[in-house]
Each structure stands twice: as structure tokens, then as C-alpha cells.
Amino acid sequence: AVAGGTTATVLSSGYAHGNKADFLFDGVRVDVNGYYDRRGPNIVVIDPEEGRVVSRKTYDIWGDPQGENMRLASDVAAIPDGHIVLVAVKDSGMEHLDGMALRAMKSIGATISGPLQVREGYALIGRKGGAALAEQRGFSVELEADLPYVVEVPPPPPPLPPLPGQMPGVGAGTAPGGSPQRDAFSTDASSGAAPSFAGVPAASATPASPFPSAAAAPASTFPTAPSAAAAPFSPFSTAPPAAVAPASPFPTAPAASGASAPPFSTAPPPQRPGV
């Protein structure tokens, strides 16, 4: 610390080289909240007249290049001239820096001319509308500058609300990015998960139901009747055939040629003698 002033320290490292974005005032850490484990540029703004932090934000340019570049440029444009701006990149993100965001970075003293490498660290102690007090890039960097006034260390920020569709307390995700919602004051240690460059987070597993599932019906101890064999398809009527009359044991008289035999005899019975 300097007499009547504050030593500001900024640390930045990519995912594979420490995965940090830390800010310290005279060795005391300034807590910053952010989704996806604070991936991307972390920016702290100091009002030099009041000696206090007026903004602490993160920008996940890796996860949402278009939206986060625009948000960063808009926020930096709103910073009053003369305010001190601290920048530290965590994990990755500056490889997607677009022209609009790059111009915003130059307005606070940055001298970079284009996007950085994947997972490259970057630290800046800049001034809005002026030259940088310190700037460095690399996979793991640390720099500091003496500010000629005392800057109060702010209290920890409140926890962030869950992202839409996410439940609080979810575990760490894959790199680059960490968990969808970090703990309010989590450490900067890497999650240890294997690196992954998938742009879409994996779908979360369906939570187990708190209610027991219905038991399956026990098997029957009685034999089941075999199912009837299916009748073969027939193109003819399925009505049963008419029963055939049994054959008579008595011979039948042949019918007269050309005439149909009546079913009963029409001749009168012969007369018996003596009647």
C-alpha cells in the first residue's frame, strides 16, 4: 500500500493456467459475481473522487459473442471519463472480441489491436478517456498500479438469481465455462472437468421422483388358456353347410324318364277281395 493511496492488483489466467480473474486492493480481494464461473472479461469500475467501487460485472463473450460484445461496449460507453477501469479475463472469451467491443476497450486505455488467443489471459488497469496505468496479456499474468487515493473494499455482492431453466446449486460444468450458476463467493480453482468446446450445455438429467413407483403386477399361478388358432381366410361364405340326410336302407324306384316323380303316390290303394 502507498501512503494515502491504494495498490490495485489484477490477476488473469486462462483455463489451463490457473483459471483466474482476481482483483485486490492492498492485498484484499474484491468479490465479483458472474454466471458460468465468471468466464470472460471481468470488469471493476472505481470512482476516483469517492474512492469506491461503482460497478462489478462479467461478460461471457465465449458463450454469447454477439450479445455480450454489445453489452460490454454499451456498459463501457456509459462509464464517466476519469474513472479507473480494472479488467481481468478468466478462462476464455477475448478470442471472440468484435470491433465494437475492441473500440470500447481502447477507450479505457487498452492497446490490443484485435482478438486474443483462445484461453489467453489479459489484465488491464485503465482510465476512461485516458492511457492505461498497466496492461499485460499472456496465459497467466499479474500486474499492479498505485492509485493516489484510498479505495474502499466493497462488501460481497448478493447471489445471482438462477438462469432460466436451471436449478440453484448445480455442479460444475465442462470447460470453458464452469457451472451455469456459480456459488456467490466460490474460489477460482478450476473444476477439474475435461475440456470441452461444445457451445451448447449438456441437458441436465431428469431428477428422480420423490414418490415410489408402482410395483409390477405379480405373475399368475394359474395356467392361461391357449388362444384359439386363427381360422384361415376363405373367399367363400362362412355359413356352415347344410346337414346331409342319411342314406335309406331301402331301394328307391327309378324315376320315369322325362317325368319328375311326385313325392307321394297318387294311385288309390288296391281293393282287398271280399270287402
Side-chain angles (χ1 to χ4, degrees):
V2 294
T6 300
T7 298
T9 305
V10 179
L11 300 91
S12 171
S13 56
Y15 183 86
H17 296 84
N19 202 31
K20 290 183 179 181
D22 288 346
F23 307 92
L24 298 95
F25 296 160
D26 294 331
V28 181
R29 175 174 168 165
V30 177
D31 287 301
V32 179
N33 267 0
Y35 292 109
Y36 296 97
D37 205 27
R38 298 192 293 121
R39 178 175 59 197
N42 290 227
I43 297 182
V44 173
V45 180
I46 301 170
D47 182 340
E49 293 185 1
E50 297 186 7
R52 66 183 184 90
V53 171
V54 294
S55 176
R56 290 174 281 180
K57 295 183 180 181
T58 65
Y59 302 87
D60 184 17
I61 298 177
W62 188 91
D64 180 11
Q66 182 177 359
E68 294 295 88
N69 271 304
M70 183 180 300
R71 190 168 71 92
L72 184 149
S74 176
D75 289 349
V76 170
I79 298 173
D81 286 348
H83 279 42
I84 300 299
V85 185
L86 313 180
V87 181
V89 174
K90 183 178 182 182
D91 190 343
S92 199
M94 294 284 274
E95 70 274 23
H96 293 317
L97 201 68
D98 66 11
M100 179 172 52
L102 181 60
R103 288 189 295 272
M105 293 293 295
K106 289 183 176 181
S107 75
I108 55 176
T111 62
I112 54 176
S113 58
L116 305 186
Q117 298 183 47
V118 175
R119 289 177 169 170
E120 183 179 1
Y122 175 79
L124 171 71
I125 302 177
R127 179 184 285 110
K128 178 66 182 292
L133 303 179
E135 181 184 31
Q136 190 174 351
R137 57 180 288 186
F139 289 105
S140 182
V141 298
E142 178 179 346
L143 53 81
E144 65 179 34
D146 292 330
L147 305 179
Y149 39 82
V150 175
V151 181
E152 178 185 355
V153 176
L160 293 171
L163 288 171
Q166 295 289 344
M167 298 176 63
V170 293
T174 56
S179 60
Q181 182 192 6
R182 67 184 290 270
D183 196 12
F185 317 114
S186 67
T187 64
D188 289 313
S190 118
S191 65
S196 167
F197 290 93
V200 180
S204 59
T206 303
S209 170
F211 303 101
S213 57
S220 173
T221 56
F222 300 97
T224 56
S227 57
F233 173 76
S234 171
F236 304 102
S237 170
T238 56
V244 179
S248 172
F250 302 100
T252 56
S257 176
S260 59
F264 303 101
S265 175
T266 54
Q271 294 291 324
R272 294 176 60 186
V275 177

